[in-house]
Amino acid sequence: MVRSVCAGFVWLILLLAATPGWTSSEPVVERARLYLADGHWQLDADFDFSLNPQLRQAAERGLPLPFTIELQVTRQRWWWLDRSVIDASRTWRITYNALTRQWRAGAGELNLPVASLEQALALVRHVRHWTVAPDEALDPTLSYEARVRLRIDTSYMSRPLQIDALNSNAWGLETPWQTVEIGVDSLDQEGE
């Protein structure tokens, strides 16, 4: 009797996992690379995430969605804590103006008009040529550890929305920290 009940639960769980819409895809960093170009260290990264229905509805009603990408590069020291070499972040904002029916996406002072929410999210999902530090920030004779993550940054929201975000899992879009590949060929060229 107990075996058949347990087997039924196992089949139910497998059925729900195979059913579209029941699986939850967690946000992840697909690829990230830190490389030297034009005298600066630049980051290319690809993130895989989707908005849940609450976030999508909030964006369509005109609430700005702030996405922050954080990069940390450290050098290990055996005698003390790791030394932070590069600590960079950039925030993208996706907004919708209901009067003009126009989506905008951008970082800092630059906001670009885009045709849809999906095009705005594509700018956040695929970061290219983000300058994070000058070339002398990393020494080619030393080894470094780099990691990156993306998250919805609720600190850019108004206070009532921040409190709501703390009480709701809907605003918890965040990738885990992911190791970044450092362009070793660029470090070797720099050392010559």
Side-chain angles (χ1 to χ4, degrees), residues 29-120:
V29 181
E30 288 184 333
R31 181 187 72 83
R33 184 168 191 268
L34 186 65
Y35 61 95
L36 189 62
D38 299 326
H40 291 86
W41 287 98
Q42 298 183 0
L43 178 74
D44 284 354
D46 293 319
F47 302 95
D48 183 21
F49 67 91
S50 58
L51 296 182
N52 59 39
Q54 292 88 354
L55 287 175
R56 186 171 293 276
Q57 184 180 33
E60 290 170 350
R61 290 186 177 179
L63 183 69
L65 295 181
F67 292 91
T68 297
I69 297 174
E70 298 170 302
L71 172 72
Q72 295 178 348
V73 180
T74 57
R75 184 171 57 93
Q76 289 186 339
R77 298 187 288 192
W78 64 271
W79 71 90
W80 197 248
L81 300 173
D82 294 348
R83 179 175 171 251
S84 179
V85 181
I86 299 172
D87 195 8
S89 67
R90 175 179 264 177
T91 301
W92 276 265
R93 291 176 61 102
I94 296 175
T95 58
Y96 178 69
N97 188 328
L99 293 175
T100 61
R101 296 182 184 197
Q102 186 177 36
W103 288 95
R104 297 185 76 75
E109 298 297 318
L110 178 64
N111 284 310
L112 302 171
V114 290
S116 66
L117 176 59
E118 287 306 314
Q119 282 186 352

